[in-house]
Amino acid sequence: MTNTRALVLALGGAFLLLSVALGALTPAGALIRRVTLPFVRVSARAASGISERLPWFHQVSQANALELCESRLQRIVVDETALHTLSQENQVLRAEAKFSQSSGYDQVGALVISRELGSLRGRLLIDRGTRDHLEVGQAVITGEGVYIGHILSVQTQIATVILLTDSESRVAVATAGEDALIGVVEGRGNGAAALTYIPSSVNLNTDQIIVTAGTESKIPARLPLGIINAINRTPKDPFYNASVDPLVRFDRVTYVSVLRPEALRPGL
Amino acid sequence: MRWFSWVGYALIALLVILWDVSVRPYIRPLSYIEPLLPMVTILVLLQARPAAWMIGLLGAIGLDLFRFTGFPLATVFFCFYLLGVQLLATHVITSRSFYSAFVLLCLGRFFGWILLYASSERFVIWPMAYGLSAGIKGVGIQMIVDGLWILLWYSAVSYWARRGPRRYAQPRWFG
């Protein structure tokens, strides 16, 4: 009797595992996810709110971070003033040339429902999926328009975002204000990234802002993503590297936007 | 009564999923507190098998549905873990003590950690491996928290054994 019961249990378990592995239970999984997702949204919002209100949970020294931010702010204010002037000139020129303002992308807002910020990994789970016409490779930005990563995998109601600090992340970049490709930003884990394969003919400075180059098919150009922190250069090498600080703290990101090509917008 | 129990198991599994998916990753000190593995270990050891299998499998399936990669490795891991612990508890371990549960749980964490590094996915039992991935300090914190979890579940099951309709084995510290 005991042997028969054990055999039935073993067969049942094997059948369950086989069904799961073959994807036969995918509809059931989608149903469970649909039922669970509203609760996950609520608890993610609550946990994120608690985390933001309790600053001692964050690891970075507040004093060091403040000092660094102040020095950068001074430089950025100068740049911003110059940019404001250029922007006004640009508006006038665009009006005269009747240039289209459309970038070819629209934004899909998403809530971050889980995240993994480990020694190698940097990933977010968002509550949008193929139902919202998301696709692998689409760029993900914050509310301020800063590029943080792209869609790695997508399911019906959720999608995984690989952050630019993930060790498997690669994105081609340029310097702000210039369209020429200068290198590739590679994730290093632990919230760090490096700009590699910079030709020795290109001169970079610390605190220079870098933007996406737009060479990837679903990542538009000129999205700011990081700031040069330090440059590692040896005279004889044809290429050199630089370390890059992301412009946003990923442990504070709660809402993001996915840049979806306008052709994929529902109703078109 | 049985239907009521199953609803209870599903609710407990839902709470575990919410905790593991959307609370632990946001609040760093809580990331070491993983309740599912201690809970199912205690339940199997105290011979509450339907509860152990229902909560364990539902929790694992839920975790897989919100994992970053597609293959249901948490479900596979829990199937083998539950089966292994049940076989050990039936044929090998005569003790139902805190000590036995703690050793089994540490072995479970260790196998999960091995799978984590052996797998190309690196996310075998996500999000259960914070402690062992965070070095010796993380291992220490994880073990203390696991011990507290076992005590908590022992107390709960012990209370249920005295007051509830089912007869579970009475917990002991050693032997």
Side-chain angles (χ1 to χ4, degrees):
Chain A
M1 186 62 190
T2 310
N3 286 340
T4 313
R5 195 174 171 187
L7 187 66
V8 169
L9 275 174
L11 284 175
F15 178 74
L16 176 71
L17 286 179
L18 194 66
S19 306
V20 169
L22 293 175
L25 300 179
T26 306
L31 180 67
I32 295 173
R33 197 185 291 125
R34 183 174 291 183
V35 171
T36 320
L37 196 54
F39 298 104
V40 173
R41 280 194 187 115
V42 170
S43 61
R45 276 199 195 101
S48 175
I50 291 169
S51 174
E52 283 172 10
R53 283 178 179 79
L54 300 173
W56 60 84
F57 284 171
H58 302 290
Q59 282 189 322
V60 177
S61 160
Q62 298 288 332
N64 290 345
L66 188 64
E67 194 179 334
L68 187 64
C69 286
E70 279 177 350
S71 68
R72 282 178 176 164
L73 182 65
Q74 289 169 1
R75 293 187 184 90
I76 288 168
V77 164
V78 176
D79 290 345
E80 201 270 343
T81 311
L83 274 174
H84 186 66
T85 312
L86 286 171
S87 172
Q88 285 179 330
E89 285 179 14
N90 192 25
Q91 279 180 4
V92 173
L93 289 170
R94 278 174 182 269
E96 286 176 2
K98 294 179 180 168
F99 193 83
S100 169
Q101 291 285 340
S102 172
S103 64
Y105 292 88
D106 69 344
Q107 297 186 11
V108 182
L111 173 73
V112 176
I113 55 171
S114 189
R115 64 188 181 201
E116 174 76 29
L117 304 175
S119 56
L120 291 172
R121 299 281 170 159
R123 300 193 179 180
L124 306 177
L125 201 66
I126 58 173
D127 66 341
R128 303 283 179 183
T130 51
R131 209 170 49 173
D132 306 287
H133 304 275
L134 299 197
E135 289 180 355
V136 171
Q138 289 173 344
V140 180
I141 61 173
T142 61
E144 293 80 24
V146 176
Y147 173 87
I148 58 168
H150 63 267
I151 302 282
L152 179 69
S153 65
V154 62
Q155 295 172 40
T156 319
Q157 294 135 327
I158 58 172
T160 307
V161 177
I162 180 168
L163 297 172
L164 62 93
T165 54
D166 187 287
S167 60
E168 292 177 11
S169 167
R170 306 281 183 275
V171 60
V173 296
T175 49
E178 293 175 25
D179 284 341
L181 175 72
I182 58 157
V184 176
V185 167
E186 298 179 0
R188 292 285 191 254
N190 276 328
L195 175 54
T196 57
Y197 303 112
I198 313 166
S200 56
S201 57
V202 174
N203 286 318
L204 290 178
N205 301 313
T206 54
D207 294 339
Q208 201 166 354
I209 290 177
I210 53 174
V211 299
T212 53
T215 53
E216 288 92 349
S217 62
K218 293 170 188 170
I219 301 176
R222 301 185 199 96
L223 296 172
L225 63 86
I227 189 164
I228 302 285
N229 187 29
I231 293 170
N232 312 311
R233 188 169 195 171
T234 48
K236 289 181 181 174
D237 285 346
F239 297 99
Y240 65 99
N241 300 335
S243 64
V244 174
D245 279 351
L247 290 175
V248 292
R249 293 266 310 273
F250 298 126
D251 60 349
R252 301 274 178 92
V253 174
T254 308
Y255 292 96
V256 296
S257 296
V258 183
L259 295 182
R260 180 178 60 185
E262 281 182 348
L264 293 176
R265 185 193 292 171
L268 287 180
Chain B
M1 187 61 204
R2 175 159 295 206
W3 182 86
F4 179 75
S5 300
W6 285 2
V7 172
Y9 301 153
L11 282 175
I12 292 172
L14 175 65
L15 286 177
V16 169
I17 293 165
L18 293 181
W19 178 265
D20 273 350
V21 170
S22 57
V23 176
R24 288 174 64 203
Y26 287 92
I27 304 173
R28 190 173 290 272
L30 302 184
S31 62
Y32 297 104
I33 302 175
E34 198 291 305
L36 190 57
L37 212 59
M39 194 194 310
V40 297
T41 308
I42 290 294
L43 289 172
V44 172
L45 214 58
L46 299 182
Q47 298 167 358
R49 286 171 188 166
W53 281 90
M54 280 293 291
I55 293 171
L57 285 183
L58 280 176
I61 288 169
L63 289 182
D64 275 332
L65 290 174
F66 289 99
R67 277 172 70 248
F68 294 116
T69 49
F71 190 76
L73 283 166
T75 307
V76 173
F77 173 80
F78 265 89
C79 276
F80 282 105
Y81 180 74
L82 281 165
L83 195 62
V85 172
Q86 187 167 317
L87 286 174
L88 283 172
T90 310
H91 300 291
V92 180
I93 303 172
T94 53
S95 164
R96 299 282 178 264
S97 63
F98 169 86
Y99 174 73
S100 309
F102 189 65
V103 169
L104 283 174
L105 180 55
C106 287
L107 284 174
R109 296 274 189 224
F110 181 67
F111 283 122
W113 182 74
I114 296 249
L115 284 173
L116 180 83
Y117 282 94
S119 157
S120 59
E121 281 196 85
R122 297 283 181 94
F123 276 98
V124 174
I125 48 168
W126 180 89
M128 293 170 50
Y130 280 96
L132 290 170
S133 304
I136 191 72
K137 184 183 159 195
V139 172
I141 296 173
Q142 181 91 69
M143 286 175 77
I144 291 168
V145 172
D146 279 345
L148 292 173
W149 270 118
I150 290 176
L151 278 179
L152 176 72
W153 292 116
Y154 253 128
S155 306
V157 177
S158 170
Y159 177 83
W160 193 247
R162 288 196 304 273
R163 297 287 184 88
R166 297 285 300 274
R167 290 287 158 211
Y168 295 129
Q170 284 293 324
R172 292 176 186 157
W173 281 99
F174 296 97

